[in-house]
Amino acid sequence: METEKTQTRPTFWSYLGADVEPKAASGPLAAFYFMTGYLDVISFSAIYVWCGFQTGNCAQLGLALARLTEKNPDILPFPLSDRHALTSLLSFVVGGCIVGRLGDHIGTHKRIWLMFATMFQGLLTMAASLTIHASNQASIANGRGLGVWTHPLSFVTVAFMSASLGMQGTLAKRLNTQYSTTIVLSHVWVELASDPKLFDFKHRVGTRDHKLMAFLCLFSGAFVGRSLTKALGASGALGIGCGFRVLISLAWLFVPNKT
């Protein structure tokens, strides 16, 4: 009897291999929104390019292509900011594709996969910190359009940051919760505005409350990210961001199993 109990007792490894309950994953997913604001504001402060919001980068590249047809000698055909935007977009897509394919193979809801993928995002954030430190450049631009990241290593930094957010977005999207991708807020604003229970303050409305939490977390992340960038520089802020990623990875341990 004792042997049978020992054999059926769940182990730590079986716990890691179990599927998490997506509806109970509000903590890590809200933290993902925090990281979106945190990382985006670091890149925007230096080069006015979002490493996560690819709608703006896509529109910027379309604008760059249109400028090529104008044949204006006073306008650079493909300035540094456009090259950073292209780097961000491509890296974001590659990062998302890698996580999407590996997640299909391992299991998109498995705890060990969620922890590993989040931890890997932390490694990319640390790599971004090391590369921008090696470039020895400033962290905050003085004027709009005058980016301060001009060293070739800055493209590597943007690539690491964007890839980490691409991975984050795909990881969150596969859980299929009210938090969606934890990257794009435009469609979340639309869903919130069209929610029939938006002004029902007498009851707890999950579809509304989760979206409001997402806005608050992203706003807080942007505020903290800018403050740390001003105090410690981009390299220091990214290093702390790596620590945040590690904590989020460990937070998946506390999400209950799917029932």
Side-chain angles (χ1 to χ4, degrees):
M1 291 292 293
E2 185 65 27
T3 303
E4 293 179 0
K5 290 182 179 180
T6 302
Q7 291 176 345
T8 58
R9 186 181 301 160
T11 65
F12 180 69
W13 288 110
S14 64
Y15 181 73
L16 289 179
D19 288 354
V20 302
E21 175 54 63
K23 294 180 180 179
S26 295
L29 293 176
F32 275 174
Y33 268 110
F34 177 91
M35 290 306 302
T36 297
Y38 187 92
L39 293 180
D40 266 319
V41 79
I42 294 175
S43 64
F44 190 82
S45 295
I47 54 177
Y48 301 105
V49 169
W50 305 109
C51 60
F53 301 146
Q54 299 306 325
T55 301
N57 290 338
C58 187
Q60 182 175 338
L61 292 173
L63 177 61
L65 182 62
R67 282 200 297 263
L68 292 176
T69 65
E70 295 175 3
K71 298 180 180 180
N72 188 339
D74 297 327
I75 300 178
L76 293 175
F78 200 57
L80 197 63
S81 61
D82 294 340
R83 282 175 268 170
H84 277 124
L86 178 60
T87 301
S88 176
L89 177 60
L90 293 178
S91 302
F92 185 93
V93 172
V94 170
C97 288
I98 291 174
V99 164
R101 304 295 77 75
L102 288 178
D104 289 339
H105 180 70
I106 300 173
T108 57
H109 288 56
K110 289 190 179 300
R111 190 185 320 277
I112 191 170
W113 165 242
L114 295 169
M115 292 183 66
F116 170 79
T118 306
M119 188 69 72
F120 191 76
Q121 294 163 32
L123 293 177
L124 290 177
T125 307
M126 178 55 70
S129 173
L130 294 175
T131 52
I132 199 60
H133 176 75
S135 71
N136 196 30
Q137 294 200 293
S139 301
I140 297 178
N142 294 323
R144 187 62 185 263
L146 302 175
V148 294
W149 287 359
T150 57
H151 194 279
L153 283 176
S154 68
F155 289 90
V156 182
T157 301
V158 172
F160 283 142
M161 295 171 67
S162 300
S164 73
L165 286 177
M167 291 180 174
Q168 172 188 302
T170 302
L171 200 70
K173 178 61 178 177
R174 290 300 181 88
L175 291 175
N176 195 28
T177 68
Q178 293 292 333
Y179 287 98
S180 187
T181 65
T182 71
I183 300 291
V184 183
L185 284 184
S186 298
H187 79 282
V188 180
W189 280 112
V190 174
E191 290 179 358
L192 179 65
S194 60
D195 194 322
K197 297 183 179 180
L198 176 61
F199 299 106
D200 183 5
F201 300 112
K202 295 181 180 180
H203 304 90
R204 187 175 180 179
V205 182
T207 55
R208 175 200 62 200
D209 297 343
H210 284 115
K211 293 177 177 61
L212 292 175
M213 178 62 71
F215 301 141
L216 178 62
C217 289
L218 192 144
F219 182 88
S220 300
F223 178 84
V224 173
R226 172 68 184 205
S227 299
L228 290 177
T229 301
K230 181 67 175 179
L232 305 175
S235 178
L238 287 169
I240 294 177
C242 173
F244 288 153
R245 289 287 197 197
V246 173
L247 293 176
I248 299 171
S249 176
L250 296 176
W252 289 111
L253 286 171
F254 303 97
V255 179
N257 290 346
K258 190 173 183 178
T259 56

